[in-house]
């Protein structure tokens, strides 16, 4: 089965740049997407099609990818950005959906 | 405004059954494929199942194949998940999520989510 691998945790101070990585064999052919989930809430899409931001998502959120690695970058992380972040993609057929294991971002 | 409201969660014994519902509003339900995604307590997100707009295409995660059945009623703007032979490891918050289609890649991703309904499997 297809897997996406993320680091369990990332920690930065307020104002620093946070980078969360996601690796997967199909990423060179499949766009990565990123979801933010704050405690007790439903996930929210923050990056789609590798690097695009939905309406309402702050400009400090950006995405990029190279080969089998995708990266979510939060430039000037704020305390309110503390959350779990999940990368998402599909397998090579496009029919099966896969989430990474999630990365807990701590900003303090 | 897009709204997805799940219901039907609760406590069930191992081996039991439960049917979840998701009421959709604020968009043309019959035009979108839909999904169930779950999250076990303290764990990550796990995609469970997808159904196309006309129910022609249905997919399941290996962990639920043969036990869960996804369905929809476009006349009632509703999505369902029939869960049979439930196990302790099925304990989770179950989210209903709408699909959007990437015009760049042709892949689907989740653009709107409900708030979830908790299913607890325990004796």
């Amino acid at each position: 089965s297809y897997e996406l691998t993320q680091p369990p945790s990332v920690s930065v101070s307020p104002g620093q740049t946070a980078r969360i990585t996601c690796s997967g064999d199909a990423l060179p052919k499949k766009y990565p997407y990123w979801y933010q989930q704050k405690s007790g809430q439903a996930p929210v899409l923050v990056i789609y099609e590798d690097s695009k931001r939905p309406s309402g998502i702050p400009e400090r959120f950006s995405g990029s990818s190279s080969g089998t690695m995708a990266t979510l970058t939060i430039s000037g992380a704020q305390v309110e950005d503390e959350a779990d972040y999940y990368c998402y993609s599909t397998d090579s057929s496009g029919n099966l959906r896969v989430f990474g294991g999630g990365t807990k971002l701590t900003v303090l | 405004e897009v709204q997805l409201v799940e219901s039907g969660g609760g406590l069930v014994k191992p081996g039991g059954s439960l049917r979840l519902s998701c009421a959709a509003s604020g968009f043309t339900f019959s035009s979108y494929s839909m999904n169930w995604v779950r999250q076990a307590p303290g764990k990550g997100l796990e995609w469970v199942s997808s159904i196309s707009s006309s129910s022609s295409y249905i997919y399941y995660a290996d962990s639920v194949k043969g036990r869960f059945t996804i369905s929809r009623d476009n006349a009632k703007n509703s999505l369902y998940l029939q869960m049979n032979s439930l196990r302790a490891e099925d304990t989770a918050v179950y989210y209903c999520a709408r699909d959007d289609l990437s015009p760049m890649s042709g892949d689907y991703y989740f653009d709107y989510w409900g708030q979830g309904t908790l299913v607890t499997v325990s004796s």
Side-chain angles (χ1 to χ4, degrees):
Chain A
S1 62
Y2 182 50
E3 292 185 357
L4 296 172
T5 302
Q6 299 180 235
S9 62
V10 167
S11 182
V12 298
S13 299
Q16 288 188 328
T17 295
R19 294 181 178 86
I20 299 172
T21 59
C22 172
S23 64
D25 289 342
L27 289 181
K29 298 180 181 179
K30 295 292 185 182
Y31 281 120
Y33 298 75
W34 291 93
Y35 292 89
Q36 175 195 67
Q37 186 181 34
K38 295 184 177 179
S39 181
Q41 298 183 19
V44 171
L45 181 70
V46 293
I47 293 290
Y48 68 102
E49 292 177 359
D50 185 35
S51 59
K52 298 177 182 176
R53 276 180 294 105
S55 172
I57 300 302
E59 290 184 7
R60 62 181 180 272
F61 288 86
S62 64
S64 63
S65 63
S66 177
T68 59
M69 182 79 74
T71 303
L72 172 69
T73 301
I74 307 172
S75 303
Q78 306 295 309
V79 172
E80 59 262 32
D81 298 331
E82 272 206 353
D84 294 323
Y85 290 85
Y86 295 90
C87 62
Y88 159 87
S89 190
T90 65
D91 72 343
S92 55
S93 72
N95 296 327
L96 300 183
R97 325 295 189 91
V98 181
F99 289 98
T103 299
K104 181 176 182 59
L105 175 65
T106 302
V107 183
L108 54 74
Chain B
E1 179 193 4
V2 172
Q3 285 199 320
L4 300 169
V5 180
E6 302 92 339
S7 60
L11 175 63
V12 61
K13 289 182 169 54
S17 298
L18 209 57
R19 189 194 196 206
L20 305 183
S21 299
C22 171
S25 61
F27 65 101
T28 304
F29 181 73
S30 59
S31 296
Y32 289 84
S33 56
M34 298 293 296
N35 305 267
W36 290 99
V37 177
R38 68 183 180 183
Q39 186 170 35
K43 302 296 185 182
L45 300 170
E46 180 189 16
W47 167 76
V48 173
S49 182
S50 298
I51 186 168
S52 62
S53 57
S54 61
S55 304
S56 298
Y57 300 97
I58 288 175
Y59 303 98
Y60 297 98
D62 287 343
S63 57
V64 305
K65 199 175 295 182
R67 299 187 300 122
F68 289 12
T69 302
I70 191 172
S71 63
R72 62 191 296 163
D73 185 336
N74 287 342
K76 295 183 177 179
N77 291 341
S78 293
L79 176 71
Y80 306 102
L81 186 67
Q82 177 67 43
M83 303 185 296
N84 298 332
S85 302
L86 282 161
R87 307 165 179 166
E89 54 264 37
D90 296 317
T91 294
V93 173
Y94 284 74
Y95 294 101
C96 166
R98 192 182 82 165
D99 260 341
D100 198 1
L101 177 63
S102 165
M104 302 290 288
S105 67
D107 289 327
Y108 286 98
Y109 63 99
F110 316 113
D111 63 348
Y112 286 94
W113 300 64
Q115 286 303 307
T117 186
L118 177 62
V119 172
T120 304
V121 184
S122 174
S123 55

